[in-house]
Amino acid sequence: MQPRKAADASDDEPRPEGGAQEPGAGPHTPPDHLAGSTLSTSEAALSDRVSGDEPLLPARVHRPSDLMRLLIGVLAVVVLFAVAAFAHGTTAGLEQDINKGTGQAPDLLIKIAGLVSSIAVLLVPVAFAIERLIKRDGLRIADGVLAAVLAHGVTLATDLWVAHSAPGTIQDALTQPQPGDALTDPVHGYLAPVIAYMTAVGMARRPRWRVVLWVVLLLDAFAMLVGGYTTPFSIVLTVLIGWTVAYGTLYAVGSPNVRPTGQHLMAGLRHVGFRPVTAMRAEDAPDSGDQNDRGRRYMVSLEDGPPLDVTVVDREQQAQGFFYRVWRRLTLRGITQRRSIQSLRQALEQEALLAYAAIAAGANAPKLIATSELGPDAVMLVYEHIGGRSLDALEDSEITDDLVRGAWRQVRALQSRRIAHRRLTGDAILVDRSGKVFVTDLRGGEIAAGDLVLRMDIAQLLTTTGLRVGPERAVAAALAVLGPDAVADCLPLLQPIALSRSTRAQLRRLARERSQREREAVLDASDAAKRARTQEAEHPDDAGRKTARKSQRTEKQAEKRAIDDALDGAREEDLLSRIRQEVLLIRPQAPVEPVRLERIKPRTLFSFIAGAIAAYFLISQVTEADFGAVVEEAEWGWVAAALGFSALSYIAAAMSLLGFVPERVPFGRTVLAQVAGSFVKIVAPAAVGGVALNTRFLQRAGVRPGLAVASVGASQLFGLGCHILLLAAFGYLTGTEKTPSSLTPSRTVIAGLLTVAVLVLVVTAIPFLRKFVVTRVRSLFAGVVPRMLDVVQRPQKLLTGIGGMLLLTGLFVMCLDASVRAFSGPDTPHLSYASIAVVFLAGNALGSAAPTPGGMGAVEGALTLGLIAVGLPKEVAAPAVLLYRLLTLWLPVLPGWLCFNHLTRKGEL
């Protein structure tokens, strides 16, 4: 740790706007549990000497826990409405049972309970507000009042929705009939604001007030329920609205910051028997996603004895990274054992246990000598001071092989007692002035860890040291300490998902740098070849002129070879691959197949959500259509025509691909590959599966990998350009259809063009966006554009490619048109090809952008809404889209699977 320079207390006087202490507390008031400690005047003066450049704490903080409670509350409200809407029999039976059980209560008791609760439910919050104002804690009262006002607004909006727009089942579950055809309020207009107020002011931390208010609220709810003025679901909804609005308000405006300051730390140290003189804030570690909850660290000097290292952990720092931990816990199997939500007591006990266990195992770790709470919202851990620097802070020349072996000895000691560190990054390895290596930041570790987690530690440290000293030295040090078997066993876990967030970020940065070097090498080789060709053209001799006329194609081939050689020379293996290669030199038979660690992938989750939305949308559309009558009246000739157009689209797809491949590739096999793509896009997003399959097919057909990628990229680029031009052209024609005597487009087309122009101006005006676009375009020009130039010199190929794209779009448009005509009746309005083309092109664009296999959900919704928007009845649009998707997505799956297996057996995929 590198301590900052200390300063006198006068330089560190806490400011009210810094939010450094409890509201209403004095500048140097210790936490509540320290207020009773007896300090002399000199001791108090000494305790005020804290680092003068300690950053001021923000007055308010946005707690992730508040956001989590808000989301839980919203989900609970949605579930309540769903139960009320779809379980009408259950809700009615519940109300009858409650009414039957409470009907025997004495009327006098009910009236007394109602009177007392109605008075107390208003007096208790007012009394609490007065008590807080006396203690100068008015900020919390303001938060509570704001939450109450918002809760009242939400209550009114809910009442209006239930009364006028909600389904009858929800209305029955939340209201009771009253004389005169009146209904009770679905949400209690005064109870929800009181609950929101109570939650926002933090009465949950004051047990006496909390118990009194909850007794009053329950008494009031009982009186209203027995009196027939409400329902059980209405009471639950009232509580949920008040609770949810309160936490939404707290997250939006922030909660008052009660984190302890350096002065509180000094008082806390004296409370546990130390006599501190100064406390200096340690340098913050580099910002890394997996280290942001490590706590604030201080170096404290004592009146007598060596200095101390003190870590202060409060609720805010502990909550950081909460959502990331939840995601890791849900998506990874057998890795994340730490609870996503830990109390401060649990965090304190876990870190203390790991500190004692590490030393007992023989590892060099900071010795924990004291622990204590700093009020209700923070804890501190006191360690013996270790002067030194972290591995990240060392220069490359200072990291010797003996130092790396020292780090591995600490891991060996920990693993001998089955202790997992779980954070073996560069800032968790400390080197003191004598060169002794320590492991720190044990807070996230585990005792009695499983083999998987222990092997993860080895993989993590291999990567950490490999990033600093290279894979050769990193693997050699690990082999020297752990032996070849232990190192080889970690190879299946040597994958990015098993590493820390900061390490993954470093690997991504290195990958971007490698890609940049490869692009620059290709551009340099291409420029050098062009300059050489230009010089020969400017100064030719007689022999040169003859050669130039005869060997233009040879020069092009030479340029391609030069680009390929430059790309091969610039290509580098990533760090993890190089580490595997080093280990395999010692253990050639070591398992290298990565272990599957992900329980669920983000793409799978997105696909499930999108599929659920699509299913809901389609079911809602299907249930409103009389498919029996529609199918009976369907014209099967148009269905057969749509099937034929769908089959011909694979020939057009093969033409659009081969038009950008100068090499000779069999046409029949290319058609089979396009049919196989109909199977692949079911298990991968539409914009990904086809690209990967075509690239693989071209490589197997003899096209060099770089040229295969460039050919597919050129095809995709031309396809994108044609798609945009066709959409604009057909949109223009659609806009002029209603005014045949004029060629003026519709206002919608003009508005769309202006929107695109504005977006282009915004991208070019903002440096970050401009740099992003330029980088992507430059990478495109590095490989795709040279390939396109080769194709341009072959008009026949270019005509085949562009013709195939236009034919492919036309066939899909005609397939959709035939599907519409198959279900159209005599009264159905006729749609022009331009209108159907616009609908198809827009739906296809959404399907390519959607992260779902085959664009499921997005395409169906876009096509159905588009057909309805251009004038087609919903009863015709829904079955037409289902038929179109059946013929173009689902029916070709079986032939696609057969073609995929056939090409795979033949070695062509």
Side-chain angles (χ1 to χ4, degrees):
M1 266 185 285
Q2 293 299 310
R4 293 179 175 173
K5 186 177 180 180
D8 190 72
S10 60
D11 295 332
D12 190 48
E13 191 72 9
R15 301 177 176 87
E17 64 271 20
Q21 59 272 342
E22 286 273 6
H28 305 296
T29 304
D32 296 339
H33 80 295
L34 301 176
S37 59
T38 304
L39 299 174
S40 65
T41 304
S42 60
E43 290 173 342
L46 286 173
S47 70
D48 288 343
R49 295 179 60 187
V50 187
S51 170
D53 57 352
E54 181 181 13
L56 290 176
L57 301 178
R60 286 180 172 269
V61 290
H62 301 276
R63 304 174 188 267
S65 57
D66 293 340
L67 177 59
M68 192 65 187
R69 293 186 178 99
L70 168 64
L71 298 177
I72 292 174
V74 172
L75 179 62
V77 171
V78 172
V79 171
L80 180 68
F81 280 130
V83 172
F86 299 107
H88 179 65
T90 303
T91 58
L94 180 62
E95 291 181 11
Q96 292 176 1
D97 293 340
I98 292 177
N99 292 334
K100 183 178 179 181
T102 58
Q104 302 176 359
D107 292 339
L108 180 61
L109 177 62
I110 296 173
K111 292 180 180 179
I112 294 176
L115 178 63
V116 172
S117 61
S118 61
I119 296 175
V121 79
L122 298 177
L123 288 181
V124 172
V126 173
F128 179 78
I130 295 173
E131 188 260 350
R132 286 289 91 194
L133 290 174
I134 292 174
K135 294 187 177 181
R136 299 180 180 180
D137 195 6
L139 198 58
R140 291 183 184 273
I141 302 302
D143 295 340
V145 172
L146 177 60
V149 172
L150 294 177
H152 184 65
V154 174
T155 299
L156 293 178
T158 305
D159 288 344
L160 291 174
W161 175 74
V162 173
H164 297 91
S165 305
T169 53
I170 293 180
Q171 193 176 83
D172 295 340
L174 296 177
T175 59
Q176 287 275 26
Q178 297 295 308
D181 295 334
L183 295 175
T184 59
D185 292 334
V187 184
H188 301 291
Y190 68 90
L191 201 57
V194 170
I195 295 174
Y197 169 86
M198 175 191 71
T199 307
V201 298
M203 291 182 68
R205 298 182 182 180
R206 293 163 176 82
R208 294 180 180 178
W209 285 101
R210 179 185 60 193
V211 170
V212 170
L213 188 55
W214 274 114
V215 168
V216 170
L217 293 176
L218 291 175
L219 190 62
D220 182 75
F222 171 78
M224 296 188 67
L225 187 64
V226 174
Y229 297 106
T230 188
T231 66
F233 277 82
S234 177
I235 294 175
V236 175
L237 180 61
T238 300
V239 174
L240 287 177
I241 287 178
W243 189 74
T244 304
V245 171
Y247 283 112
T249 304
L250 289 178
Y251 185 76
V253 304
S255 302
N257 195 347
V258 295
R259 294 170 65 178
T261 63
Q263 286 80 10
H264 295 159
L265 169 65
M266 302 291 275
L269 288 171
R270 288 188 172 277
H271 188 68
V272 294
F274 295 101
R275 300 179 64 83
V277 177
T278 59
M280 292 176 287
R281 178 75 180 270
E283 290 285 353
D284 294 330
D287 185 20
S288 58
D290 52 348
Q291 295 289 344
N292 53 10
D293 61 343
R294 60 191 304 165
R296 288 177 289 147
R297 295 176 297 168
Y298 296 84
M299 191 187 77
V300 179
S301 59
L302 305 177
E303 291 184 5
D304 52 352
L308 305 173
D309 288 332
V310 182
T311 300
V312 177
V313 180
D314 54 52
R315 295 187 187 277
E316 303 310 318
Q317 288 171 318
Q318 186 197 16
Q320 291 183 11
F322 166 76
F323 294 106
Y324 173 75
R325 292 195 298 270
V326 170
W327 177 252
R328 295 274 289 185
R329 190 174 183 85
L330 290 175
T331 57
L332 300 186
R333 54 177 72 182
I335 292 181
T336 305
Q337 302 297 328
R338 173 184 170 186
R339 293 183 179 180
S340 300
I341 301 179
Q342 279 186 316
S343 66
L344 284 172
R345 170 64 62 179
Q346 290 172 332
L348 176 68
E349 292 174 350
Q350 180 183 9
E351 185 166 351
L353 176 62
L354 265 296
Y356 292 137
I359 294 177
N364 298 330
K367 183 178 180 181
L368 182 66
I369 56 179
T371 59
S372 178
E373 293 184 348
L374 292 178
D377 296 305
V379 295
M380 70 174 181
L381 299 100
V382 184
Y383 295 91
E384 288 185 350
H385 175 66
I386 301 175
R389 292 179 294 168
S390 67
L391 186 66
D392 285 343
L394 295 177
E395 298 292 338
D396 291 342
S397 59
E398 298 179 272
I399 304 178
T400 62
D401 291 339
D402 186 62
L403 189 152
V404 179
R405 287 192 293 268
W408 282 109
R409 293 189 193 98
Q410 309 315 309
V411 173
R412 182 181 62 185
L414 292 176
Q415 298 206 349
S416 66
R417 299 294 186 269
R418 304 198 69 81
I419 301 173
H421 187 283
R422 302 292 304 279
R423 286 182 172 179
L424 285 172
T425 54
D427 52 0
I429 300 172
L430 194 69
V431 183
D432 66 4
R433 296 180 180 86
S434 64
K436 189 176 181 180
V437 179
F438 290 78
V439 287
T440 62
D441 292 332
L442 291 161
R443 183 181 173 195
E446 294 180 21
I447 61 172
D451 291 337
L452 187 67
V453 181
L454 295 177
R455 290 156 60 194
M456 275 182 56
D457 269 0
I458 298 176
Q460 174 64 59
L461 189 56
L462 271 176
T463 309
T464 299
T465 54
L467 287 169
R468 296 304 311 273
V469 301
E472 296 83 4
R473 292 174 60 190
V475 172
L479 293 173
V481 177
L482 300 182
D485 293 335
V487 178
D489 288 342
C490 82
L491 291 186
L493 291 167
L494 201 63
Q495 48 183 307
I497 192 65
L499 306 176
S500 65
R501 293 179 74 182
S502 58
T503 304
R504 295 201 303 271
Q506 287 182 281
L507 293 176
R508 287 194 296 268
R509 178 179 56 80
L510 293 176
R512 289 194 297 268
E513 293 176 355
R514 288 196 306 271
S515 299
Q516 181 65 25
R517 287 194 293 270
E518 292 176 4
R519 288 194 294 268
E520 291 176 352
V522 171
L523 290 175
D524 292 342
S526 178
D527 293 341
K530 290 178 181 178
R531 285 195 302 269
R533 191 164 60 248
T534 302
Q535 291 175 359
E536 292 178 1
E538 291 177 351
H539 306 286
D541 52 12
D542 293 336
R545 292 188 185 94
K546 296 179 181 180
T547 305
R549 287 192 297 268
K550 295 180 180 179
S551 61
Q552 184 176 4
R553 181 175 299 180
T554 305
E555 291 178 358
K556 283 290 185 181
Q557 294 175 353
E559 181 180 351
K560 293 177 186 177
R561 287 195 297 272
I563 293 176
D564 291 339
D565 294 341
L567 185 60
D568 293 338
R571 185 175 288 115
E572 305 174 22
E573 293 285 347
D574 64 278
L575 177 66
L576 299 185
S577 299
R578 294 165 63 191
I579 292 176
R580 293 190 193 95
Q581 293 172 4
E582 291 295 325
V583 177
L584 290 175
L585 293 176
I586 307 299
R587 282 287 186 269
Q589 304 301 324
V592 295
E593 187 68 23
V595 175
R596 183 180 176 185
L597 300 176
E598 289 183 292
R599 181 182 290 115
I600 181 173
K601 296 182 179 181
R603 179 172 59 83
T604 305
L605 181 60
F606 293 149
S607 301
F608 175 77
I609 295 174
I613 295 174
Y616 173 78
F617 176 80
L618 291 178
I619 290 174
S620 63
Q621 297 291 330
V622 168
T623 53
E624 297 180 7
D626 186 3
F627 277 94
V630 170
V631 173
E632 290 178 0
E633 299 175 0
E635 297 186 21
W636 293 99
W638 284 112
V639 174
L643 178 61
F645 293 141
S646 176
L648 291 174
S649 65
Y650 295 101
I651 298 177
M655 293 172 57
S656 65
L657 175 63
L658 293 181
F660 298 92
V661 183
E663 292 80 6
R664 190 175 184 83
V665 178
F667 184 78
R669 296 177 185 176
T670 308
V671 175
L672 292 180
Q674 305 314 301
V675 178
S678 61
F679 165 70
V680 174
K681 67 182 180 182
I682 289 296
V683 295
V688 176
V691 172
L693 184 137
N694 286 329
T695 303
R696 179 70 173 174
F697 170 74
L698 292 179
Q699 291 177 6
R700 289 292 188 176
V703 183
R704 294 176 63 87
L707 298 180
V709 174
S711 294
V712 176
S715 175
Q716 294 291 317
L717 183 62
F718 261 94
L720 176 62
C722 289
H723 195 100
I724 295 174
L725 292 176
L726 289 174
L727 185 58
F730 284 117
Y732 182 91
L733 293 176
T734 303
T736 60
E737 284 177 352
K738 297 182 180 180
T739 57
S741 60
S742 174
L743 294 179
T744 303
S746 65
R747 294 182 178 180
T748 304
V749 175
I750 297 176
L753 294 176
L754 291 177
T755 302
V756 172
V758 170
L759 290 176
V760 171
L761 290 176
V762 170
V763 170
T764 55
I766 300 177
F768 170 75
L769 295 177
R770 184 172 63 249
K771 182 179 179 182
F772 177 82
V773 172
V774 169
T775 303
R776 295 299 183 270
V777 170
R778 187 179 182 186
S779 64
L780 178 66
F781 272 70
V784 173
V785 173
R787 191 65 162 172
M788 291 170 59
L789 294 177
D790 292 340
V791 174
V792 169
Q793 297 177 3
R794 299 187 178 187
Q796 183 179 0
K797 282 284 186 180
L798 185 62
L799 182 62
T800 301
I802 297 178
M805 290 177 182
L806 296 176
L807 179 60
L808 180 64
T809 301
L811 289 171
F812 278 130
V813 171
M814 288 188 287
C815 180
L816 180 58
D817 178 71
S819 300
V820 171
R821 292 177 184 271
F823 297 102
S824 297
D827 299 330
T828 304
H830 176 70
L831 299 181
S832 66
Y833 281 105
S835 299
I836 293 180
V838 170
V839 172
F840 163 73
L841 292 170
N844 190 48
L846 289 176
S848 299
T852 56
M856 285 187 292
V859 173
E860 287 84 355
L863 293 179
T864 304
L865 292 177
L867 291 176
I868 294 173
V870 296
L872 196 67
K874 179 170 56 178
E875 293 77 11
V876 178
V881 170
L882 290 179
L883 175 62
Y884 170 78
R885 293 292 280 172
L886 174 66
L887 298 178
T888 58
L889 179 67
W890 296 109
L891 194 61
V893 169
L894 180 58
W897 177 73
L898 296 175
C899 292
F900 184 86
N901 287 335
H902 172 74
L903 293 176
T904 303
R905 287 195 304 269
K906 295 293 185 179
E908 296 172 357
L909 276 182

